[in-house]
Amino acid sequence: MAYKDFINDFRKEITPDVLFFYGAEDHLMDWAVEQIINKYVSEEWREIDVRYLDGDRVSAYDIMGEARAFSMFSDRRVIIVRNYLPLYRKSSDSGINELLELAGSRLGTSVIVFVLESRYSDDITAFGKKFAKKGGGYEFSRLDKADLKSFITKRIHTSGKMIARRELDYLIDLTGYYNKESSYDLARLDADIAKLVKACPEDSISYGLIEDLLIGDSDRYVFNLVDAVVNGDRPRALEIAETIIREEDGAMQVIALLTKQFEIMYDALELSREGYSVSQMASMTGINEFRFKRAWQSAGAYKLSRLRELLVQLYNIDRDIKKGDIDKDVALELFAVTASNR
């Protein structure tokens, strides 16, 4: 079952007494645990009636013992078991079959919540799958687009700010939340929203503020340098290269990012000739849609053969720097000058 099922079941008070939370979104799982604690245990008794067990060390019998204890102060005790080993690894715990039986029963005195962090979501064992089926398993996967927009706007509005539709879409694209293999999750998004709200001097969050706060300096330099190169603006390209060297001392990092950006440009030009949209191309390559869109726009100024030449030049620069044949700062300046000749 999905996290929406948990919300509906919890509101209707029909969630089982033994729960198993797993999936990609730790932030949502932590929120769900908080709702359970708030429901059953008053704040003054939480040190007694909320128990946190280390799943790497605790045994099934330890968990069952905690579950059978009574509370004199709260409606129920809440036992949180994080990363219980048999759920994602082979284990010699002799009590797992009894624990499986317990999962299908009503406890009355306690609620047990097994939380498997997202880093283990692809490792669920056969026991874990049985446990999820029998013990109130809820998968907290990534939010769909509509729910993600609601998540963002609710937090922004609660903080007294607004965000328009165009800026909202731009924010989502820029985060790369839907990228394949992306490590960007709701916890990071929540932190970025807090930064945006705090830094916003007006009532509404602007396109420029999103770009200023969410694009790192190195990425911004790369985008600006690529724009100058694409436009054949040699003085501007050289100025940006010198700024990187002088202010950031990050020539090597920028060269690596430049290489990646030109690789994306090459892929974008090839795939666009096959009729794919920007969203489709970004999804196929697993690249942040914002970054892919910038690359696709820049690639339109080139032929494939010229992009190939520039990539070879960047590969050679990387090789020569590592061999000690050229200084990294000189190499960056050289590329800024020569690449601007279309």
Side-chain angles (χ1 to χ4, degrees), residues 173 175-183 260 264 267 271 278-293:
D173 286 346
T175 63
Y177 180 80
Y178 292 111
N179 291 358
K180 294 177 183 176
E181 310 300 330
S182 173
S183 61
K260 181 63 177 176
I264 300 171
D267 290 340
L271 290 171
V278 172
S279 295
Q280 288 173 323
M281 290 186 287
S283 177
M284 290 167 65
T285 56
I287 295 167
N288 181 305
E289 187 167 335
F290 166 78
R291 181 180 287 278
F292 198 95
K293 190 179 295 182

Side-chain angles (χ1 to χ4, degrees), residues 5-154:
D5 296 310
F6 167 77
I7 294 172
N8 291 331
D9 292 350
F10 190 69
R11 286 174 179 169
K12 295 176 182 177
E13 299 187 345
I14 59 172
T15 51
D17 290 346
V18 180
L19 299 161
F20 176 24
F21 296 161
Y22 62 96
E25 279 297 353
D26 295 316
H27 187 79
L28 291 178
M29 289 188 273
D30 290 341
W31 169 85
V33 168
E34 185 179 348
Q35 302 310 302
I36 293 167
I37 293 172
N38 289 341
K39 179 178 178 63
Y40 293 114
V41 184
S42 61
E43 193 167 351
E44 60 186 310
W45 302 118
R46 288 181 186 175
E47 288 189 11
I48 298 172
D49 289 330
V50 179
R51 299 283 292 149
Y52 296 92
L53 305 182
D54 184 349
D56 285 341
R57 299 181 180 182
V58 73
S59 71
Y61 293 115
D62 293 332
I63 297 168
M64 290 185 284
E66 289 282 356
R68 291 178 180 128
F70 287 86
S71 170
M72 296 179 62
F73 309 105
S74 305
D75 291 342
R76 297 191 188 188
R77 299 175 80 240
V78 177
I79 297 104
I80 313 299
V81 187
R82 190 170 293 274
N83 299 326
Y84 179 50
L85 194 62
L87 295 174
Y88 68 98
R89 292 283 188 274
K90 288 184 179 180
S91 170
S92 59
D93 193 335
S94 59
I96 59 174
N97 289 329
E98 292 179 54
L99 188 62
L100 190 61
E101 288 301 315
L102 183 71
S105 62
R106 299 295 296 183
L107 304 179
T109 59
S110 302
V111 176
I112 311 175
V113 187
F114 291 84
V115 179
L116 188 64
E117 294 174 357
S118 59
R119 54 186 166 143
Y120 302 124
S121 61
D122 294 330
D123 302 325
I124 297 178
T125 60
F127 167 76
K129 292 174 183 177
K130 289 179 184 177
F131 194 81
K133 188 174 182 180
K134 195 170 184 180
Y138 293 94
E139 182 177 5
F140 289 73
S141 55
R142 288 184 178 273
L143 297 181
D144 61 29
K145 201 71 170 278
D147 287 335
L148 185 63
K149 288 183 176 182
S150 177
F151 178 91
I152 295 169
T153 54
K154 182 178 179 179

Side-chain angles (χ1 to χ4, degrees), residues 189-231:
L189 177 58
D190 203 31
D192 282 340
I193 292 170
K195 287 194 299 185
L196 286 168
V197 167
K198 188 175 181 180
C200 181
E202 308 295 337
D203 293 335
S204 187
I205 292 173
S206 68
Y207 192 96
L209 180 63
I210 294 169
E211 188 167 282
D212 285 344
L213 291 187
L214 268 65
I215 298 179
D217 287 340
S218 295
D219 276 330
R220 187 178 295 107
Y221 280 131
V222 168
F223 294 143
N224 291 339
L225 183 52
V226 170
D227 287 343
V229 167
V230 167
N231 293 326

